[in-house]
Amino acid sequence: MKGLLVSAPVASVPLLDLKRQYAELGDAMNAALLNVNESGMFILGPEVKKLEENIAKYSRTNFAIGCASGSDALLLALMAADVAPGDEVIVPSFTFFATASCVPRVGATPVFADIEPTTWNLDPKEVEAKITEKTRAIIVVHLFGQAADMPAFQAIVKRAEERFGRKVYLIEDSCQAIGAELDGVSVGNWGDMSCLSFYPTKNLGGAGDGGMVVCNDEALAARVKLLRAHGMEPRYYHKEIGINSRLDSYQAAILNVKLPYLDAWTEARGKNAERYDALFADAGLDGFIATPKKVGNRRHVWNQYVIRVFNGKRDELRAFLTEKKIGTDIYYPLGLHEQECFAYLGYKADDLPETRKAAAEVLALPIFPELRPEEQEYLVAAVREFFGK
Ligand SMILES: *Cc1c(COP(=O)(O)O)cnc(C)c1O
């Protein structure tokens, strides 16, 4: 019928489509980059300073220090904590590689701990069991956008410090969790330092790599700031050996444009998650798949919506969806304790059974803010078709 707006039938669903965001904000993003070009300041500079202030305010922390990536933010945090050869750092195995790769970079030993099956976050009982007098830090990941059980980790750290009479750092890997909260307290305020990533697929993504360390301790903030720029203060006088990990003005300018929209995007992600929950609840797929669990008193920011697929059907389901042009991904197909580069640590595959199980079952579905309801319906219909439901 002419004159009636009928949405086109869905023929494909992307895992992430950043062009939809660009369609809204492209003009503002381009204008911000033009400003940087005209300013002639491309590294750090006023845009980075402004972003650091904005992110500190957003995270409700005292300090924020921009750097080149989330991976570097983690490395800088360990350097600022003086983690060194002989030290152990407890990390999850079910996470992105950068959570653990920073540990050998400072000469220390990663100790992999298993996850809770409900949230996929680090299991406090596992961490407690792996603490030794060598434990110098624990890196807790807020995986997929849901805060980990931080009060439990704070208590574990306190007990370890009392037992061994040395500081144990609690570091938050908040790369997937900007804006996430637990008991009304934002991530970044639970540990000594918290690391953010502005990789384009993160909830607040730049137009390239970028990262930040946020914290409340002035001395740690000053140390990270020194370390990110060759330990140099003043110019050409080097107090210690740092790295080159400065944030560029282009990235900061883009992120300053996007930050005011972050809460609305997070809300849209949450609505999409609820829509999936409702669609799957009606689909009669109990025993075939499980939807992700949101646990009490948390603001989940849904960087990923990850289902479990049972009975060894995950890869087959994914291939079926790919065939129907529906984008999905697997975060993560192999625990870090099983990675070739960590073979020297001597872990066996089933040392961390929950990690192993998760790696075999997880499937991430599209959840980005601009995803359309009819695309979600199309996806869920395809999952039902696969299982004959
Ligand atoms: C993305 C990510 C990182 C690394 O961030 P980059 O900016 O890509 O270096 C670290 N940890 C986790 C959990 C991540 O998701």
Side-chain angles (χ1 to χ4, degrees), residues 375-386:
E375 292 175 318
Q376 293 186 273
E377 285 158 16
Y378 179 78
L379 181 150
V380 174
V383 173
R384 293 176 75 153
E385 186 188 336
F386 175 79

PDB file of all heavy atoms in Angstrom, residues 375-386:
ATOM      1  N   GLU A 375      15.207  -7.479  13.787  1.00  0.00           N
ATOM      2  CA  GLU A 375      16.423  -8.264  13.586  1.00  0.00           C
ATOM      3  C   GLU A 375      16.577  -9.308  14.695  1.00  0.00           C
ATOM      4  O   GLU A 375      17.002 -10.434  14.457  1.00  0.00           O
ATOM      5  CB  GLU A 375      17.644  -7.337  13.543  1.00  0.00           C
ATOM      6  CG  GLU A 375      17.650  -6.453  12.293  1.00  0.00           C
ATOM      7  CD  GLU A 375      18.783  -5.437  12.285  1.00  0.00           C
ATOM      8  OE1 GLU A 375      19.067  -4.824  13.341  1.00  0.00           O
ATOM      9  OE2 GLU A 375      19.379  -5.234  11.205  1.00  0.00           O
ATOM     10  N   GLN A 376      16.215  -8.906  15.923  1.00  0.00           N
ATOM     11  CA  GLN A 376      16.279  -9.858  17.032  1.00  0.00           C
ATOM     12  C   GLN A 376      15.247 -10.980  16.844  1.00  0.00           C
ATOM     13  O   GLN A 376      15.528 -12.145  17.109  1.00  0.00           O
ATOM     14  CB  GLN A 376      16.021  -9.135  18.356  1.00  0.00           C
ATOM     15  CG  GLN A 376      17.126  -8.162  18.703  1.00  0.00           C
ATOM     16  CD  GLN A 376      16.923  -7.566  20.096  1.00  0.00           C
ATOM     17  OE1 GLN A 376      16.236  -6.562  20.247  1.00  0.00           O
ATOM     18  NE2 GLN A 376      17.486  -8.189  21.104  1.00  0.00           N
ATOM     19  N   GLU A 377      14.061 -10.598  16.361  1.00  0.00           N
ATOM     20  CA  GLU A 377      13.017 -11.603  16.119  1.00  0.00           C
ATOM     21  C   GLU A 377      13.468 -12.590  15.046  1.00  0.00           C
ATOM     22  O   GLU A 377      13.269 -13.800  15.167  1.00  0.00           O
ATOM     23  CB  GLU A 377      11.705 -10.920  15.702  1.00  0.00           C
ATOM     24  CG  GLU A 377      11.004 -10.274  16.895  1.00  0.00           C
ATOM     25  CD  GLU A 377      10.039  -9.158  16.489  1.00  0.00           C
ATOM     26  OE1 GLU A 377       9.669  -9.079  15.293  1.00  0.00           O
ATOM     27  OE2 GLU A 377       9.680  -8.353  17.382  1.00  0.00           O
ATOM     28  N   TYR A 378      14.088 -12.059  14.012  1.00  0.00           N
ATOM     29  CA  TYR A 378      14.599 -12.891  12.913  1.00  0.00           C
ATOM     30  C   TYR A 378      15.635 -13.882  13.438  1.00  0.00           C
ATOM     31  O   TYR A 378      15.624 -15.075  13.102  1.00  0.00           O
ATOM     32  CB  TYR A 378      15.202 -11.967  11.854  1.00  0.00           C
ATOM     33  CG  TYR A 378      15.817 -12.636  10.644  1.00  0.00           C
ATOM     34  CD1 TYR A 378      15.017 -13.128   9.611  1.00  0.00           C
ATOM     35  CD2 TYR A 378      17.198 -12.734  10.518  1.00  0.00           C
ATOM     36  CE1 TYR A 378      15.588 -13.717   8.492  1.00  0.00           C
ATOM     37  CE2 TYR A 378      17.777 -13.318   9.406  1.00  0.00           C
ATOM     38  CZ  TYR A 378      16.961 -13.805   8.387  1.00  0.00           C
ATOM     39  OH  TYR A 378      17.533 -14.382   7.286  1.00  0.00           O
ATOM     40  N   LEU A 379      16.524 -13.376  14.317  1.00  0.00           N
ATOM     41  CA  LEU A 379      17.572 -14.224  14.885  1.00  0.00           C
ATOM     42  C   LEU A 379      16.972 -15.342  15.743  1.00  0.00           C
ATOM     43  O   LEU A 379      17.317 -16.520  15.594  1.00  0.00           O
ATOM     44  CB  LEU A 379      18.542 -13.369  15.712  1.00  0.00           C
ATOM     45  CG  LEU A 379      19.723 -14.103  16.348  1.00  0.00           C
ATOM     46  CD1 LEU A 379      20.927 -13.172  16.461  1.00  0.00           C
ATOM     47  CD2 LEU A 379      19.415 -14.691  17.715  1.00  0.00           C
ATOM     48  N   VAL A 380      16.045 -14.960  16.620  1.00  0.00           N
ATOM     49  CA  VAL A 380      15.470 -15.968  17.522  1.00  0.00           C
ATOM     50  C   VAL A 380      14.672 -17.003  16.717  1.00  0.00           C
ATOM     51  O   VAL A 380      14.722 -18.200  17.015  1.00  0.00           O
ATOM     52  CB  VAL A 380      14.619 -15.299  18.623  1.00  0.00           C
ATOM     53  CG1 VAL A 380      13.894 -16.346  19.469  1.00  0.00           C
ATOM     54  CG2 VAL A 380      15.509 -14.424  19.522  1.00  0.00           C
ATOM     55  N   ALA A 381      13.985 -16.538  15.672  1.00  0.00           N
ATOM     56  CA  ALA A 381      13.248 -17.484  14.810  1.00  0.00           C
ATOM     57  C   ALA A 381      14.217 -18.482  14.178  1.00  0.00           C
ATOM     58  O   ALA A 381      13.914 -19.680  14.055  1.00  0.00           O
ATOM     59  CB  ALA A 381      12.469 -16.722  13.738  1.00  0.00           C
ATOM     60  N   ALA A 382      15.385 -18.003  13.788  1.00  0.00           N
ATOM     61  CA  ALA A 382      16.384 -18.885  13.169  1.00  0.00           C
ATOM     62  C   ALA A 382      16.903 -19.909  14.183  1.00  0.00           C
ATOM     63  O   ALA A 382      17.107 -21.079  13.849  1.00  0.00           O
ATOM     64  CB  ALA A 382      17.538 -18.065  12.599  1.00  0.00           C
ATOM     65  N   VAL A 383      17.103 -19.470  15.432  1.00  0.00           N
ATOM     66  CA  VAL A 383      17.566 -20.404  16.476  1.00  0.00           C
ATOM     67  C   VAL A 383      16.493 -21.478  16.701  1.00  0.00           C
ATOM     68  O   VAL A 383      16.793 -22.669  16.814  1.00  0.00           O
ATOM     69  CB  VAL A 383      17.887 -19.663  17.790  1.00  0.00           C
ATOM     70  CG1 VAL A 383      18.203 -20.643  18.916  1.00  0.00           C
ATOM     71  CG2 VAL A 383      19.052 -18.690  17.595  1.00  0.00           C
ATOM     72  N   ARG A 384      15.217 -21.059  16.725  1.00  0.00           N
ATOM     73  CA  ARG A 384      14.125 -22.023  16.903  1.00  0.00           C
ATOM     74  C   ARG A 384      14.078 -23.006  15.740  1.00  0.00           C
ATOM     75  O   ARG A 384      13.886 -24.214  15.945  1.00  0.00           O
ATOM     76  CB  ARG A 384      12.777 -21.295  16.995  1.00  0.00           C
ATOM     77  CG  ARG A 384      12.664 -20.461  18.254  1.00  0.00           C
ATOM     78  CD  ARG A 384      11.381 -19.679  18.293  1.00  0.00           C
ATOM     79  NE  ARG A 384      10.250 -20.551  18.597  1.00  0.00           N
ATOM     80  CZ  ARG A 384       9.148 -20.117  19.198  1.00  0.00           C
ATOM     81  NH1 ARG A 384       9.012 -18.853  19.528  1.00  0.00           N
ATOM     82  NH2 ARG A 384       8.167 -20.949  19.449  1.00  0.00           N
ATOM     83  N   GLU A 385      14.278 -22.475  14.556  1.00  0.00           N
ATOM     84  CA  GLU A 385      14.258 -23.340  13.385  1.00  0.00           C
ATOM     85  C   GLU A 385      15.370 -24.394  13.487  1.00  0.00           C
ATOM     86  O   GLU A 385      15.152 -25.578  13.214  1.00  0.00           O
ATOM     87  CB  GLU A 385      14.444 -22.478  12.114  1.00  0.00           C
ATOM     88  CG  GLU A 385      14.283 -23.269  10.817  1.00  0.00           C
ATOM     89  CD  GLU A 385      14.673 -22.453   9.571  1.00  0.00           C
ATOM     90  OE1 GLU A 385      14.633 -21.189   9.632  1.00  0.00           O
ATOM     91  OE2 GLU A 385      15.026 -23.077   8.558  1.00  0.00           O
ATOM     92  N   PHE A 386      16.543 -23.956  13.926  1.00  0.00           N
ATOM     93  CA  PHE A 386      17.677 -24.888  14.053  1.00  0.00           C
ATOM     94  C   PHE A 386      17.323 -26.049  14.996  1.00  0.00           C
ATOM     95  O   PHE A 386      17.631 -27.193  14.721  1.00  0.00           O
ATOM     96  CB  PHE A 386      18.914 -24.142  14.565  1.00  0.00           C
ATOM     97  CG  PHE A 386      20.081 -25.048  14.842  1.00  0.00           C
ATOM     98  CD1 PHE A 386      20.881 -25.522  13.796  1.00  0.00           C
ATOM     99  CD2 PHE A 386      20.383 -25.452  16.143  1.00  0.00           C
ATOM    100  CE1 PHE A 386      21.962 -26.366  14.061  1.00  0.00           C
ATOM    101  CE2 PHE A 386      21.456 -26.294  16.405  1.00  0.00           C
ATOM    102  CZ  PHE A 386      22.244 -26.761  15.365  1.00  0.00           C
TER     103      PHE A 386
END
